[in-house]
Amino acid sequence: KQMKAHHAQPVKVGISVGYSLTDRWAVNTGMTYSYLSSDFTADGEPKQTQKLHYVGIPLSASYSLLKSRKAEVYVTAGGEVEKLVKAALGGAYHFTPALSVYAEPGVSYYFDNHSSVINVYKDRPTSFSLNVGVRYTVK
């Protein structure tokens, strides 16, 4: 029988904390939770559903390209303990100097960790994403 996998779009949520190094440079870290779901079929017949949960710790650096009192556009690059490497152009709106909401479209690449678990990261190691969230920046 031929096994076939159908992977649902991964869902990832997280919290982020930033630390300003200068007026333009900042480092960011936090914690993420990822949920991956896959359905496996054999000759068209459903066989099993796999649900995976990941916790990750990202670390990135950001450089502000344009910055005003209430908004900014920045470039960020970094990695995550899930062996994730990403680069993104983002934007943020500051409610206060320390509290902002952000949007970061990005491209991620997941390196092979040699696990026997079949998931979307193995079948499609390159993916596009849109990260949206709230960030607290420590000055």
Side-chain angles (χ1 to χ4, degrees), residues 79-86 108-114:
E80 190 168 347
V81 290
E82 290 182 4
K83 296 186 182 181
L84 163 69
V85 177
K86 65 180 181 178
S108 300
Y109 183 82
Y110 296 86
F111 291 99
D112 186 0
N113 63 1
H114 304 291

Side-chain angles (χ1 to χ4, degrees), residues 69-84:
R69 203 171 132 246
K70 287 285 185 183
E72 71 179 301
V73 175
Y74 55 87
V75 175
T76 185
E80 190 168 347
V81 290
E82 290 182 4
K83 296 186 182 181
L84 163 69

Side-chain angles (χ1 to χ4, degrees), residues 10 16 25 42 54 69 74 81 99 113 118 120:
S16 178
W25 284 99
Y54 289 90
R69 203 171 132 246
Y74 55 87
V81 290
L99 187 64
N113 63 1
I118 297 169
V120 68

Side-chain angles (χ1 to χ4, degrees), residues 3-53:
M3 283 289 264
K4 192 172 184 182
H6 171 73
H7 304 294
Q9 180 68 32
V11 175
K12 185 177 224 176
V13 295
I15 57 171
S16 178
V17 176
Y19 181 77
S20 295
L21 299 173
T22 68
D23 187 44
R24 298 259 180 206
W25 284 99
V27 292
N28 307 294
T29 189
M31 184 175 288
T32 61
Y33 164 78
S34 300
Y35 173 74
L36 281 65
S37 177
S38 302
D39 292 320
F40 295 91
T41 59
D43 295 330
E45 295 295 318
K47 287 295 175 192
Q48 72 182 65
T49 298
Q50 174 179 265
K51 297 176 183 178
L52 303 173
H53 307 267

Side-chain angles (χ1 to χ4, degrees), residues 54-121:
Y54 289 90
V55 175
I57 299 176
L59 180 63
S60 64
S62 299
Y63 180 79
S64 293
L65 299 172
L66 300 169
K67 194 171 187 179
S68 72
R69 203 171 132 246
K70 287 285 185 183
E72 71 179 301
V73 175
Y74 55 87
V75 175
T76 185
E80 190 168 347
V81 290
E82 290 182 4
K83 296 186 182 181
L84 163 69
V85 177
K86 65 180 181 178
L89 175 68
Y93 179 81
H94 294 269
F95 296 106
T96 69
L99 187 64
S100 63
V101 62
Y102 66 90
E104 298 173 352
V107 177
S108 300
Y109 183 82
Y110 296 86
F111 291 99
D112 186 0
N113 63 1
H114 304 291
S115 168
S116 62
V117 176
I118 297 169
N119 61 38
V120 68
Y121 295 156

